[in-house]
Amino acid sequence: MVYPKMRLICICLLVLGVLCLYFSMNNLSPFKEQSFVYKKEYGNFLQLPDIDCRQNPPFLVLLVTSSHKQLAARMAIRQTWGKERIVKGKRLKTFFLLGTTSSQDEMRAVAQEGQLHGDIIQKDFVDVYYNLTLKTMMGIEWVHHFCPQAAFVMKTDSDMFVNVYYLTELLLKKNRTTRFFTGYLKLNEFPIRKKFSKWFVSKFEYPWDRYPPFCSGTGYVFSSDVASQVYNVSESVPYIKLEDVFVGLCLEKLKIRLEALHSKQTFFPEGLRFSICRFRKIVACHFIKSQELLLYWQALENSREEDCPPV
Ligand SMILES: *[C@@H]1O[C@H](CO)[C@@H](O)[C@H](O)[C@H]1NC(C)=O
Ligand SMILES: *[C@@H]1O[C@H](CO)[C@@H](O)[C@H](O)[C@H]1NC(C)=O
Ligand SMILES: *[C@@H]1O[C@H](CO)[C@@H](O)[C@H](O)[C@H]1NC(C)=O
């Protein structure tokens, strides 16, 4: 009576093995994802910034995705492009978007930092790269609920250089007020199916063969009405962990077309070598370390526009 039992166990193990192989090959692990739509979690902010947008509304709100350990980057941004300022008579305000970590020390430090600077927006979700969609949606919810009076919003990252002067100038020139969305346009992108890529997306997570048009998540800018509209449709598009693609899906549903801000390239998600005259005429550049940001900013502030050749 021993053999049939052994055979049964062997068959069971074999079936289990095949199933494991199947699930891992197709990345169909049923345990990995809990939901496939974004679930709006109304309110419940852990930290809200010091601003009343009804009084003296900002022209441009800059929302910077950041994490607990990036204090140096936040401090550099506060001293440079993120400093509250008036450009061409328009008020600019910068806020940082954070989630939560399991480190009590880091949580406490960020709570104190928020009290000191009044510029942190925080909610209760685990602050990891693959939760960037939640972080971005928190910023969009914040604009929708607390600052719809702003004219424009920029969502960007903490390793960016942003030329807020040139951005303001171009936005004023563009003279758009609603349903406006711009940045580095990605109009023909496909899901990356290579397992080890940072941007790997399984067919289970996103079964379609191409992405909707979207703007690189390193920096995009939109009229503030778009925040409310995106927030409104966010539960009715498929959830994807790539925040820029997720926003693209919302825009597609809303039939909001992406537009270039300028006839020349002004957003540089792949980075760009610094020169004073070059950086005067760009809006955003990726891969900027805190030290570089401080140096570049000072160089720009200490130079005169007239010293650059006209373009
Ligand atoms: C994202 O945050 C949610 C809510 O805190 C958490 O349940 C989930 O595990 C996080 N995602 C990842 C990939 O860690
Ligand atoms: C901006 O657009 C409005 C109409 O949408 C128009 O009345 C106004 O003259 C424009 N301003 C400039 C500076 O082009
Ligand atoms: C949200 O969607 C509903 C239904 O589609 C629509 O009636 C409402 O005007 C939308 N609100 C915004 C702010 O877009």
mmCIF file of all heavy atoms in Angstrom, residues 29 60 126 200 205 220 240:
data_model
loop_
_atom_site.group_PDB
_atom_site.id
_atom_site.type_symbol
_atom_site.label_atom_id
_atom_site.label_comp_id
_atom_site.label_asym_id
_atom_site.label_seq_id
_atom_site.Cartn_x
_atom_site.Cartn_y
_atom_site.Cartn_z
ATOM 1 N N SER A 29 1.357 35.419 -10.702
ATOM 2 C CA SER A 29 1.237 35.162 -9.273
ATOM 3 C C SER A 29 -0.015 35.820 -8.706
ATOM 4 O O SER A 29 -0.141 37.040 -8.715
ATOM 5 C CB SER A 29 2.457 35.698 -8.546
ATOM 6 O OG SER A 29 2.157 35.798 -7.182
ATOM 7 N N LEU A 60 1.671 78.779 -10.013
ATOM 8 C CA LEU A 60 2.235 77.457 -10.307
ATOM 9 C C LEU A 60 2.571 76.740 -9.003
ATOM 10 O O LEU A 60 3.272 77.273 -8.152
ATOM 11 C CB LEU A 60 3.505 77.615 -11.160
ATOM 12 C CG LEU A 60 4.336 76.372 -11.439
ATOM 13 C CD1 LEU A 60 3.564 75.347 -12.261
ATOM 14 C CD2 LEU A 60 5.630 76.742 -12.156
ATOM 15 N N VAL A 126 2.975 52.864 1.799
ATOM 16 C CA VAL A 126 4.387 52.511 1.923
ATOM 17 C C VAL A 126 5.181 53.227 0.833
ATOM 18 O O VAL A 126 4.862 53.125 -0.354
ATOM 19 C CB VAL A 126 4.582 50.981 1.832
ATOM 20 C CG1 VAL A 126 6.058 50.635 1.985
ATOM 21 C CG2 VAL A 126 3.757 50.275 2.902
ATOM 22 N N PHE A 200 9.868 46.876 -16.046
ATOM 23 C CA PHE A 200 9.186 45.644 -16.435
ATOM 24 C C PHE A 200 7.711 45.685 -16.015
ATOM 25 O O PHE A 200 7.375 46.039 -14.886
ATOM 26 C CB PHE A 200 9.859 44.446 -15.768
ATOM 27 C CG PHE A 200 9.048 43.177 -15.861
ATOM 28 C CD1 PHE A 200 8.896 42.533 -17.087
ATOM 29 C CD2 PHE A 200 8.411 42.657 -14.745
ATOM 30 C CE1 PHE A 200 8.139 41.377 -17.182
ATOM 31 C CE2 PHE A 200 7.653 41.499 -14.834
ATOM 32 C CZ PHE A 200 7.518 40.854 -16.057
ATOM 33 N N GLU A 205 -0.284 42.563 -15.413
ATOM 34 C CA GLU A 205 -0.486 43.936 -14.932
ATOM 35 C C GLU A 205 -1.051 44.825 -16.027
ATOM 36 O O GLU A 205 -1.854 45.720 -15.758
ATOM 37 C CB GLU A 205 0.851 44.548 -14.493
ATOM 38 C CG GLU A 205 1.407 43.991 -13.216
ATOM 39 C CD GLU A 205 2.803 44.542 -12.992
ATOM 40 O OE1 GLU A 205 2.915 45.619 -12.396
ATOM 41 O OE2 GLU A 205 3.781 43.902 -13.430
ATOM 42 N N TYR A 220 6.241 66.916 -15.684
ATOM 43 C CA TYR A 220 5.165 67.342 -16.585
ATOM 44 C C TYR A 220 4.352 68.441 -15.920
ATOM 45 O O TYR A 220 4.357 68.593 -14.697
ATOM 46 C CB TYR A 220 4.293 66.161 -17.048
ATOM 47 C CG TYR A 220 3.764 65.229 -15.982
ATOM 48 C CD1 TYR A 220 2.656 65.570 -15.209
ATOM 49 C CD2 TYR A 220 4.358 63.981 -15.766
ATOM 50 C CE1 TYR A 220 2.154 64.704 -14.252
ATOM 51 C CE2 TYR A 220 3.861 63.108 -14.805
ATOM 52 C CZ TYR A 220 2.757 63.467 -14.058
ATOM 53 O OH TYR A 220 2.271 62.621 -13.107
ATOM 54 N N ILE A 240 -1.847 51.009 -13.013
ATOM 55 C CA ILE A 240 -0.504 50.569 -13.377
ATOM 56 C C ILE A 240 0.493 51.309 -12.500
ATOM 57 O O ILE A 240 0.307 52.487 -12.188
ATOM 58 C CB ILE A 240 -0.238 50.745 -14.898
ATOM 59 C CG1 ILE A 240 1.180 50.305 -15.260
ATOM 60 C CG2 ILE A 240 -0.512 52.156 -15.372
ATOM 61 C CD1 ILE A 240 1.391 50.054 -16.739
#
